[in-house]
Amino acid sequence: MKPLAIGPVMIDIAGHSLTALDQEKIAHPNTGALILFSRNYESPQQVAELIRSIRQARNGDILIAVDQEGGRVQRFQTGFTRLPAAAHYAERPELAAVAGWLMASEILAVGADFSFAPVLDVDCGVSTIIGNRSFSPDPEQAADLAGKFRAGMRAAGMAATGKHFPGHGAVALDSHLDLPVDERSLDDIRRQDLVPFRRLIAEGLEAVMPAHVLYPQVDRYPAGFSEIWLQRILRQELGFDGAIFSDDLSMAGAASIGDFNERAGLALQAGCDMLLVCNDPAAAEQVLDSLPPSRNEKREQRLQAMRGRGALGLDDLPAYPQWRQFSQQISEFYESLA
């Protein structure tokens, strides 16, 4: 049987191991990726075995991701180095690249491909869902620190995903629960929020995740469903040629578009390469079955660039001097912040 290509849908699973239904969904032609959450994690050894079983369940490629930013967004904790929230690297800029390498090396060592990081949102002091996940309220400093973090990731063999394009930091509402509306002009957003995206794209950023935020001065659709944002501004104006991952289509910020099939269709039309449908198994099955099978060579090339290329396995890390040094540095910094 011919191996399946990377499909356009990222799914999730409920537990520490695969069920028969999980295996069936992983084998679906439209599946292309799977994201792991805290509920899927018990230990490095357990999650490494889970990841092996996920890959074995598919006849073809599948990308495996996690949110491992640090701070309050770190899905794998016990047995992993605890990472500070991004805002703290302003105090120790030299540790941003160290943390990026360390995060990437530990995730790659258990067999996953990438973490959705770094956050490129500029903290405008109003968003609790972003807050200290942002590297800085200053756009240039945010770009500098995020660039260092990404450089560390890249040195370890991991592709980076900048989020949440064009910026989630200037709205108070949480797009998991509501549709935030940012009334600023495009010029204002260019001068502030787009600075980190522009800088990291110029440095070779591999992927972007758009925000479920509405910018009515620019388009009537939230950014992740907007051809203006994803094609005219991200692709053409900023010159981005990497992969575009939608944010989770089950979030309330996506609900204004319609049902799940409508959300999936509009996100693909706008230019998303991979659709996240998480925390709603019925919706994931619906989207998997509704999309017509298709092949797009350019899209597949973009997504293949997200595959992990780490050189260290789980058994290699403890004996690797750089990992021991970096883990100690970041652990001491993390503990000093408590």
Side-chain angles (χ1 to χ4, degrees), residues 176-219:
H176 293 86
L177 307 174
D178 295 282
L179 175 60
V181 179
D182 188 333
E183 296 284 359
R184 293 176 303 161
S185 70
L186 177 56
D187 284 343
D188 286 343
I189 295 168
R190 281 193 181 107
R191 281 192 292 269
Q192 179 159 305
D193 301 65
L194 291 189
V195 171
F197 288 96
R198 185 179 294 111
R199 288 265 302 274
L200 267 72
I201 287 168
E203 293 170 8
L205 182 67
E206 294 88 352
V208 161
M209 175 180 283
H212 287 325
V213 175
L214 179 64
Y215 308 85
Q217 300 301 314
V218 180
D219 195 6

Side-chain angles (χ1 to χ4, degrees), residues 23-231:
Q23 292 175 327
E24 182 179 331
K25 287 193 288 188
I26 290 167
H28 195 290
N30 280 328
T31 297
L34 190 145
I35 184 169
L36 296 170
F37 292 96
S38 298
R39 65 173 180 266
N40 306 123
Y41 182 79
E42 185 177 68
S43 69
Q45 293 74 22
Q46 169 270 327
V47 84
E49 180 55 37
L50 173 59
I51 289 168
R52 280 192 292 270
S53 68
I54 291 167
R55 297 198 187 280
Q56 290 169 0
R58 184 166 180 81
N59 175 33
D61 288 330
I62 186 168
L63 298 172
I64 299 177
V66 64
D67 285 314
Q68 191 83 347
E69 301 167 16
R72 57 195 155 95
V73 184
Q74 180 167 345
R75 308 306 187 202
F76 303 166
Q77 295 187 10
T78 303
F80 277 71
T81 306
R82 290 302 308 273
L83 305 168
H88 293 297
Y89 296 111
E91 304 168 37
R92 297 283 303 278
E94 74 280 7
L95 292 183
V98 170
W101 184 91
L102 185 65
M103 179 278 289
S105 294
E106 292 184 347
I107 292 297
L108 293 168
V110 297
D113 291 295
F114 62 95
S115 166
F116 282 116
V119 169
L120 300 186
D121 302 302
V122 176
D123 179 19
C124 298
V126 297
S127 175
T128 56
I129 192 61
I130 299 301
N132 66 5
R133 295 169 64 193
S134 167
F135 282 91
S136 177
D138 176 80
E140 296 292 346
Q141 185 179 45
D144 286 340
L145 293 171
K148 288 180 170 65
F149 193 91
R150 176 189 172 263
M153 293 171 62
R154 184 175 177 82
M158 180 180 286
T161 305
K163 60 185 186 184
H164 305 81
F165 178 82
H168 199 307
V171 288
L173 294 179
D174 177 358
S175 56
H176 293 86
L177 307 174
D178 295 282
L179 175 60
V181 179
D182 188 333
E183 296 284 359
R184 293 176 303 161
S185 70
L186 177 56
D187 284 343
D188 286 343
I189 295 168
R190 281 193 181 107
R191 281 192 292 269
Q192 179 159 305
D193 301 65
L194 291 189
V195 171
F197 288 96
R198 185 179 294 111
R199 288 265 302 274
L200 267 72
I201 287 168
E203 293 170 8
L205 182 67
E206 294 88 352
V208 161
M209 175 180 283
H212 287 325
V213 175
L214 179 64
Y215 308 85
Q217 300 301 314
V218 180
D219 195 6
R220 64 191 180 98
Y221 293 122
F225 304 95
S226 167
E227 292 187 51
I228 293 175
W229 279 114
L230 300 188
Q231 298 298 328

